Amino acid sequence: MKKSFLILIIIYFACQNIFAQGVRIDNLPPQEAVKYVKPLSTYLGTFFNTGAYHNADVPDLFGFKFSIVGTLTFLPESEKSFAPNPGLEGSENFESTATIFGTQGGYFLSNTGFVVYPSGLGLKNIPLGIYQVAGSLFGTELMIRYFPTIKKDNVQAGLWGIGLKHEISRYFPLLPLDISVQLLLNRLKIENKSSDPTDYAKFESKNFALNVQASKTFAGLLIIYGGLQYESSNLDVSYYFKDPDGVFPSLADRIYDLKVDGDNTFRLTVGTALQLSFFVLNFDANITKQTTLSAGMSFEF
Amino acid sequence: MKRLLAISTVLTLSLLLNSCDPFEEYFINLKMDQQFQLYGIGPNITQQTNFCLNNYDDYNDNVDKIEQIKYVDAAYLTINASEGLNSDNLSLKLYESDGNTLLFDYNLPSFVASDYSNKALHIQLTQTEKERINQYLSHHQQNNCFVAVLTAENVRSNNSLPYFSLQAKIEFVAELKLKP
């Protein structure tokens, strides 16, 4: 119970970090804000589409599973910076600048003075966890993730996710492997709303995945599993553009709604699990744009 | 069985422990605007202004996390000026807070104010001047104030009256290196 509570806290504070110092999406015009937050869209797609399985076998009659999944996502250097293109005349010193995960915001000299881009969170990697419960009947499993919307200060955050999995190898009893297909949908919403409308920001992440997974159990103890997954992610962002440098007067002082697609398409997962009576420990590697390791502990029967 | 359990535990613990420090140093660019109002009957018009790093929110919000502050860049922009205002030399001097120790002295001969009303002037300092500022900023807890003096020498304009005015802005950019 303490661990699941810890996971909730981690998710919550990870959400709060988005509004931390240095991360100032409100300093960017919409065309630059899209590039700034795109790696976040990719990350959320990567995170939510991780850890959804460690065994393709679904009980023929009834099954139950409670899992805590920890993930560690490695951020490639290409996801930490982008080339600014503010579309201003007379700009000099175009250098790459930080994305939301980067370390160094750029700056350049425009006709009307310096334009300063925000820094990022300065992250090397992202550890994050989630819990999930699943129940199955007749070879079909429904998985649920849920974190109620809670509010602290001006930030409120909540998430839900579902997964539907069906074992297809049950129709082919001679197959040496267990094979299943699984559909995943996950949503996360974070909103920063205070009495000052210029502080408004909202992030809503929508993630979809469809996978084919296979596993083989040895001696009822060791499971080797893997899968190929198609996935997509989208981040809806609403924010108030303040234009602190005063160089985009025609765009300033209004709320923008952006749709930011993540770079999530396919992933390959390989992993292993150890089945110890009602407990299962698993570890897998996910090869995708943001390589992710995942470890899980499950209580299942 | 025990060995498998031990390996799994070590892997899980390793994942958790390595994840404890996901942050690295990061940098914020602090932009400092200073406005000048120069006016008078000439031949020189000048104004001195004092400013401190703690006049700026980005500095105050991060002051406890600052590992280093570095001077990065500066620019000049004319906001408003007497019609046709020009001068033999535009001088910008930056001093430490005592007002005596010079950090840099930038000069632009044959200054025409209107040339920089729609196109900022990039103030490029020598390496020695940058190092002098950075040396001063290396003790930013104490040395965080400056005195800036902008002077237009031997001013002329199209006005029939011998009265000159120049409203201008100097922007400085500094880089704050912050602890994770």
Side-chain angles (χ1 to χ4, degrees), chain A residues 168-231:
Chain A
I168 50 176
S169 53
R170 69 200 306 258
Y171 306 112
F172 308 96
L174 296 180
L175 276 177
L177 297 170
D178 296 313
I179 299 173
S180 288
V181 291
Q182 187 178 36
L183 177 81
L184 298 167
L185 293 171
N186 285 279
R187 285 203 178 196
L188 166 73
K189 187 176 171 185
I190 309 165
E191 193 170 26
N192 186 52
K193 195 176 187 179
S194 70
S195 54
D196 180 358
T198 66
D199 283 340
Y200 182 75
K202 185 182 82 177
F203 293 77
E204 189 167 4
S205 169
K206 301 168 185 171
N207 305 287
F208 166 83
L210 182 65
N211 66 55
V212 179
Q213 52 190 262
S215 69
K216 177 80 178 169
T217 305
F218 298 94
L221 187 70
L222 184 70
I223 305 165
I224 304 293
Y225 62 94
L228 189 63
Q229 182 162 285
Y230 166 79
E231 57 192 37

Side-chain angles (χ1 to χ4, degrees), chain B residues 39-109:
Chain B
Y39 53 87
I41 56 171
N44 298 345
I45 52 175
T46 189
Q47 196 204 351
Q48 171 182 313
T49 184
N50 300 358
F51 66 98
C52 297
L53 295 176
N54 58 19
N55 297 147
Y56 301 91
D57 288 344
D58 280 345
Y59 176 81
N60 292 327
D61 292 344
N62 296 289
V63 67
D64 296 334
K65 293 189 286 180
I66 295 172
E67 281 190 342
Q68 188 185 37
I69 304 184
K70 247 173 48 182
Y71 168 87
V72 176
D73 224 332
Y76 164 92
L77 196 70
T78 299
I79 297 170
N80 203 356
S82 302
E83 193 184 339
L85 185 116
N86 62 89
S87 82
D88 287 350
N89 186 49
L90 181 78
S91 154
L92 173 67
K93 292 184 169 78
L94 187 72
Y95 297 91
E96 294 183 6
S97 56
D98 61 11
N100 293 316
T101 312
L102 186 68
L103 294 169
F104 75 78
D105 180 3
Y106 178 84
N107 290 283
L108 179 71

Side-chain angles (χ1 to χ4, degrees), chain A residues 9 26 29 61 71 81 113 121 129 142 146 153 217:
Chain A
I9 298 294
D26 53 357
L61 284 175
T71 67
S81 64
L121 289 163
L142 177 67
Y146 179 68
D153 301 328
T217 305

